[in-house]
């Protein structure tokens, strides 16, 4: 799908506040509510908008510890790791990377024993190194405008 300036403005605005009404979004972008509704539907149907979600304060729900885990394995275990990541509620996201490591995984925990359990599970098919997250000072929207 080819994105025009209005589409990019819509996507930028939704990244900052996806809960705003289509009417309010239309006023911000300069489109009527029906035109806005049609554009958003097209962006959803094309898979440009993959979904909507809430950002959760992890500490407020008892997950005050985060870690970045680097996993190094052999090619034969890549899919096994992907399945393992998907099955572990502590894994927030995982990216496959180039270089010495195969994956970089971000996890959230309530207590250090939870990190130990996750590290033990991930070490089953390769080597693991961890770093505790001190803070998350940058969390940007995708730059589209």
């Amino acid at each position: 799908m080819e994105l025009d300036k209005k589409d990019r403005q819509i996507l930028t605005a939704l990244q900052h506040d996806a809960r705003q009404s289509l009417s309010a979004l239309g006023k911000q972008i300069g489109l009527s509510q029906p035109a806005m509704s049609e554009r958003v539907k097209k962006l959803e149907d094309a898979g440009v908008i993959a979904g909507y979600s809430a950002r959760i304060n992890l500490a407020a729900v008892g997950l005050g510890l985060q870690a970045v885990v680097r996993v190094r394995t052999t090619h034969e275990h890549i899919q096994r790791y992907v399945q393992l990541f998907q099955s572990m509620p502590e894994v927030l996201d995982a990216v496959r990377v180039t270089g010495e490591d195969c994956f970089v995984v971000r996890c959230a925990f309530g207590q250090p024993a939870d990190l130990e359990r996750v590290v033990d599970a991930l070490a089953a098919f390769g080597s693991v190194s961890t770093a505790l997250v001190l803070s998350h000072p940058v969390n940007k929207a995708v730059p589209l405008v």
Side-chain angles (χ1 to χ4, degrees), residues 3 72 77 114:
L3 300 179
R72 188 176 302 167
H77 296 299
D114 298 330

Side-chain angles (χ1 to χ4, degrees), residues 28-58:
Q28 182 182 341
I29 304 298
L31 294 171
S32 68
Q33 190 275 332
M36 180 59 61
S37 182
E38 182 180 325
R39 280 185 177 255
V40 169
K41 175 87 169 100
K42 284 181 180 178
L43 290 165
E44 291 170 343
D45 290 346
V48 175
I49 296 175
Y52 301 88
S53 62
R55 287 182 299 215
I56 306 297
N57 177 337
L58 293 173

Side-chain angles (χ1 to χ4, degrees), residues 41-95:
K41 175 87 169 100
K42 284 181 180 178
L43 290 165
E44 291 170 343
D45 290 346
V48 175
I49 296 175
Y52 301 88
S53 62
R55 287 182 299 215
I56 306 297
N57 177 337
L58 293 173
V61 295
L63 300 173
L65 296 172
Q66 288 186 61
V68 174
V69 181
R70 296 186 343 257
V71 177
R72 188 176 302 167
T73 190
T74 59
H75 188 73
E76 67 185 294
H77 296 299
I78 295 293
Q79 284 307 312
R80 192 174 295 173
Y81 268 107
V82 170
Q83 293 168 353
L84 185 59
F85 299 147
Q86 290 172 339
S87 73
M88 300 176 81
E90 299 87 358
V91 173
L92 301 177
D93 58 46
V95 292

Side-chain angles (χ1 to χ4, degrees), residues 104-121:
V104 176
V105 182
R106 188 169 59 96
C107 304
F109 312 95
Q111 54 191 342
D114 298 330
L115 173 58
E116 180 179 20
R117 183 176 36 75
V118 168
V119 167
D120 289 348

